[in-house]
Amino acid sequence: MLVLVSYDVSVTSEGGTRRLRRVSKACRDFGQRVQFSVFEIEVEPDQWTRLRQSLIDLIDEEVDSLRFYFLGRNWQKRIEHIGAKPALDMNGPLVF
């Protein structure tokens, strides 16, 4: 399944910069960045359960936020991209 993860981490609060880096790294380990604080993450349900809990554990819920958009298995038909910086084909070969 594909999940769109967006986050807003307060870098002006104590430890904010460190939380921001950790949230970004956790998302990068499973998906690709499509905007500064937005990742497309393709995972199996059990992976999603672990990643979701990891993200929740990383943020400070008093000042940070997470949003999850579940695009399901037929996500290719639900995403339209216009403009620069095209996203990688997540199901294609990762050759650079």
Side-chain angles (χ1 to χ4, degrees):
M1 71 178 169
L2 186 75
V3 182
L4 192 71
V5 175
S6 69
Y7 54 84
D8 187 11
V9 175
S10 173
V11 293
T12 58
S13 64
E14 183 176 336
T17 303
R18 185 180 59 232
R19 289 194 313 276
L20 178 63
R21 278 195 310 267
R22 289 180 177 175
V23 168
S24 173
K25 183 182 181 323
C27 290
R28 198 176 51 234
D29 288 346
F30 286 89
Q32 67 172 330
R33 183 187 302 263
V34 291
Q35 296 287 322
F36 284 117
S37 298
V38 180
F39 280 80
E40 289 177 346
I41 296 175
E42 188 167 19
V43 287
E44 296 299 322
D46 60 323
Q47 290 175 309
W48 172 245
T49 300
R50 289 193 309 270
L51 175 59
R52 179 183 176 277
Q53 189 58 53
S54 170
L55 293 172
I56 291 170
D57 293 343
L58 288 171
I59 68 165
D60 178 347
E61 292 186 41
E62 296 292 322
V63 292
D64 305 331
S65 65
L66 295 165
R67 293 184 69 92
F68 307 131
Y69 302 88
F70 300 95
L71 299 176
R73 295 195 182 279
N74 295 321
W75 56 269
Q76 290 93 344
K77 297 177 182 175
R78 297 182 177 143
I79 297 174
E80 179 180 6
H81 175 85
I82 299 169
K85 198 177 172 185
L88 298 173
D89 177 4
M90 296 177 67
N91 293 322
L94 295 175
V95 179
F96 298 97

